[in-house]
Amino acid sequence: MAKLTILEFPDPRLRRRATDVESVDDTLRQLIDDMFETMYDAPGIGLAATQVDVHRRLLVADVSSEKDDPWALINPVILERDGVEVTEEGCLSVPGFYEEVERSGHIQVRFLDREGAEVEAEFTGLLAVCVQHEIDHLDGKLFVDYLSEAKRQRIRRRLVKDQRQRQHDAAAAL
Ligand code: QAP
Ligand code: CO
């Protein structure tokens, strides 16, 4: 098991569009385990492969309070959507910022599970919102893209400043 490094906005690698996973094998299952470890450790409720600089269509999520409902979705496709849900969203790639985003409240998704079996499942509420947020990552999209340019600019400046400060602190500690 290994904790992975999470890319932070405005890193251009977060804008890459992920390509389909071609084979569900032990290497992919190891990546899934590492993504769960990284997400639970953060702690977070969802993580897309894009966020750990792997540009394959894969995401993990667990919105349960007991952290006992892990979902790993490979090559997810939204077949149907319905309803509206407004949620205060955050993102491990946009640390410290939370804003309301409107998404579908109900989605039907087709994906492969960690054994490579095709699954169709219906998600509602926070899990539906989380899966939509993570699929956006696989398309190079971030929740800040739904905000005003002014808000996005403010978040970008703050995070770039924090990143420079950390870089500076790390160099000074050498
Ligand atoms: C996506 O996000 C999500 O800013 C997953 O300092 C979030 O797990 C979908 C996190 C909310 C729907 C609703 C964020 C952790 C975790 C932070 C996350 C932070 C520490 C975000
Ligand atoms: Co995110």
Side-chain angles (χ1 to χ4, degrees):
M1 296 281 271
K3 229 192 96 186
L4 307 169
T5 303
I6 299 175
L7 301 177
E8 286 186 12
F9 178 70
D11 192 308
R13 290 170 291 183
L14 288 168
R15 297 309 189 176
R16 287 179 60 178
R17 186 186 158 80
T19 55
D20 277 340
V21 168
E22 312 232 304
S23 95
V24 181
D25 54 15
D26 286 343
T27 307
L28 190 82
R29 281 184 282 272
Q30 182 61 58
L31 172 61
I32 291 171
D33 290 343
D34 291 346
M35 284 173 61
F36 273 120
E37 185 182 349
T38 304
M39 181 188 79
Y40 285 130
D41 187 74
I45 60 170
L47 185 69
T50 304
Q51 293 176 276
V52 294
D53 205 19
V54 174
H55 301 279
R56 293 291 177 188
R57 303 192 77 81
L58 164 67
L59 66 88
V60 298
D62 186 344
V63 304
S64 70
S65 38
E66 302 297 325
K67 296 295 153 206
D68 58 357
D69 188 26
W71 285 89
L73 277 58
I74 301 162
N75 298 343
V77 177
I78 297 176
L79 303 172
E80 282 180 58
R81 47 173 84 240
D82 193 20
V84 175
E85 182 97 12
V86 176
T87 311
E88 175 133 300
E89 294 191 15
C91 179
L92 289 169
S93 295
V94 190
F97 294 91
Y98 305 86
E99 296 283 349
E100 281 190 346
V101 177
E102 188 178 302
R103 300 189 189 267
S104 305
H106 202 100
I107 54 172
Q108 184 82 19
V109 184
R110 180 165 59 218
F111 57 94
L112 302 179
D113 68 13
R114 60 181 290 141
E115 307 309 326
E118 193 172 296
V119 179
E120 248 186 67
E122 193 178 297
F123 298 120
T124 57
L126 185 56
L127 186 52
V129 167
C130 190
V131 166
Q132 290 169 80
H133 173 118
E134 303 311 332
I135 291 176
D136 268 357
H137 276 301
L138 304 180
D139 293 325
K141 191 164 176 119
L142 298 167
F143 86 93
V144 297
D145 298 344
Y146 296 100
L147 311 178
S148 67
E149 180 60 40
K151 270 190 182 170
R152 191 164 46 253
Q153 195 64 254
R154 187 173 69 81
I155 294 170
R156 182 189 288 113
R157 284 184 220 274
R158 181 74 231 181
L159 287 177
V160 167
K161 193 176 168 203
D162 290 351
Q163 289 157 20
R164 286 203 186 109
Q165 185 61 49
R166 259 182 284 146
Q167 199 71 33
H168 176 268
D169 291 348
L174 290 177

